Amino acid sequence: MESTAWLTDYDAAILPIRLCAFAPWRLGVKFFASDTMNKERKLIIAGNWKMNKTVAEALDLVRGLKLELANIKEVDVVVCPTFTALGALSKEILDSSLRLGAQNMSEHNFGAFTGEIAAGMLKEFSVRYVILGHSERRQYQKETDELISKKGLAAHAASLKPIVCVGETLAEREGGKTEQVLETQIKGSLAGFSKDQMPETVVAYEPVWAIGTGKTATTAQAQETHAFIRGLLTKMFDETVARKVRIQYGGSVKPSNARELMSQPDVDGALVGGASLEVRSFSDIIKNSI
Ligand code: PEP
């Protein structure tokens, strides 16, 4: 064929490749990819690794997450390792969008508090978030709402974002006391927080009966409780503030239930325990949530 013809030999040879570029399944993928959830607030999904992983294991996990989640922009992804892994992970996440969280901190800035860690020390490792008042700490370390509020205020003073955990026990839910318990915990744990600090505060609703048990709140239970919490925040602060606060759900979140939970209008992310310990399950939770 002449080079002046509308289709050269070269064009004819690569035509199938060009057609593939516009193939219907490509359009399908594009359509599917744009079918993301339209959330009012950016999702925040945090992995609470609890007392698991050596430094080497923590590095392996984060390296895997970096590969799996390299293109995820729709979710703030936070990993909360043990204190001993923070130094190594702070370097490893530098070239990624992963953020570091701690699992606890002291309400004090320094001094004779053996075994404690201050907010300023966490900041040295680029920690951005800190989980406060997890039900395990409320149960085993007898942490009170008053203490959690002091820690939260110390976190804010150091520009750390607290993830404040609340949640009822099974007996409290079955006794019809869920809202009463949550109101007490939220008013106490957020006591003294200013309106300006609230958008930088995350509330994690974690029904104690759903943590590590494999039992998940139904989507209806989660939405109803999250809406109750947002209503409470509206009364404590105002509607504009309440609409900015991200409320995570926690309690046996896994890849199979993440999408349905995250589709609820007042569910703005997840605090994940067991399923955050493996690259596959944690990254699938994140991918299934968008
Ligand atoms: C947690 O401990 O915060 C938690 C939600 O754990 P799991 O996901 O294992 O239930």
Side-chain angles (χ1 to χ4, degrees):
M1 200 175 280
E2 298 282 327
S3 63
T4 50
W6 72 277
L7 195 64
T8 62
D9 286 347
Y10 172 76
D11 280 337
I14 66 160
L15 191 59
I17 299 169
R18 287 206 168 130
L19 284 174
C20 279
F22 296 101
W25 65 84
R26 291 267 311 217
L27 293 176
V29 167
K30 214 169 169 211
F31 173 75
F32 179 73
S34 66
D35 183 25
T36 52
M37 283 186 215
N38 191 12
K39 301 291 291 185
E40 187 176 348
R41 292 157 290 272
K42 189 174 184 188
L43 287 173
I44 173 166
I45 299 184
N48 174 12
W49 295 358
K50 308 192 183 186
M51 202 172 70
N52 293 296
K53 307 281 177 197
T54 61
V55 176
E57 290 165 347
L59 279 168
D60 269 358
L61 179 46
V62 153
R63 284 176 187 141
L65 292 175
K66 273 169 56 175
L67 288 176
E68 284 292 328
L69 303 174
N71 298 319
I72 304 283
K73 306 268 177 295
E74 300 88 338
V75 183
D76 286 334
V77 181
V78 185
V79 291
C80 305
T82 56
F83 292 131
T84 51
L86 287 173
L89 294 198
S90 67
K91 295 189 190 94
E92 188 60 41
I93 62 162
L94 275 179
D95 58 349
S96 79
S97 58
L98 292 174
R99 296 283 177 258
L100 267 188
Q103 299 174 20
N104 178 39
M105 57 168 262
S106 170
E107 71 276 31
H108 302 288
N109 291 334
F110 58 88
F113 302 101
T114 304
E116 295 289 333
I117 304 268
M121 296 162 184
L122 297 177
K123 293 281 290 185
E124 287 187 299
F125 295 109
S126 311
V127 171
R128 310 272 185 106
Y129 295 86
V130 58
I131 299 172
L132 296 178
H134 189 278
S135 64
E136 285 151 17
R137 295 199 63 85
R138 288 179 184 264
Q139 186 184 351
Y140 305 132
Q141 274 75 35
K142 307 285 173 235
E143 290 200 354
T144 62
D145 294 326
E146 192 187 353
L147 177 67
I148 294 157
S149 129
K150 283 183 186 161
K151 291 184 179 199
L153 292 170
H156 277 303
S159 300
L160 278 179
K161 299 180 206 297
I163 299 176
V164 178
C165 302
V166 295
E168 80 287 359
T169 61
L170 188 57
E172 288 163 344
R173 179 161 278 269
E174 288 178 346
K177 296 204 174 88
T178 301
E179 293 189 354
Q180 188 189 318
V181 168
L182 292 178
E183 182 161 348
T184 305
Q185 289 181 341
I186 288 175
K187 285 188 171 162
S189 305
L190 302 181
F193 282 40
S194 69
K195 283 185 181 181
D196 287 347
Q197 289 169 335
M198 285 311 295
E200 304 302 317
T201 302
V202 178
V203 174
Y205 167 57
E206 299 206 298
V208 178
W209 48 270
I211 296 180
T213 59
K215 289 185 197 153
T216 319
T218 63
T219 39
Q221 280 172 327
Q223 169 54 28
E224 188 187 21
T225 315
H226 281 229
F228 167 76
I229 293 172
R230 203 172 307 283
L232 191 57
L233 296 175
T234 303
K235 283 188 216 146
M236 290 167 66
F237 301 95
D238 63 40
E239 197 190 333
T240 313
V241 168
R243 287 181 70 162
K244 288 182 183 159
V245 179
R246 294 188 287 182
I247 306 174
Q248 293 176 313
Y249 171 78
S252 300
V253 175
K254 36 191 185 271
S256 56
N257 59 22
R259 187 165 179 83
E260 213 187 325
L261 284 163
M262 298 312 129
S263 71
Q264 302 304 303
D266 286 293
V267 177
D268 310 310
L271 184 54
V272 186
S276 72
L277 295 173
E278 301 291 337
V279 175
R280 173 61 40 223
S281 46
F282 192 51
S283 56
D284 279 353
I285 285 173
I286 291 153
K287 290 176 188 173
N288 292 353
S289 297
I290 55 179

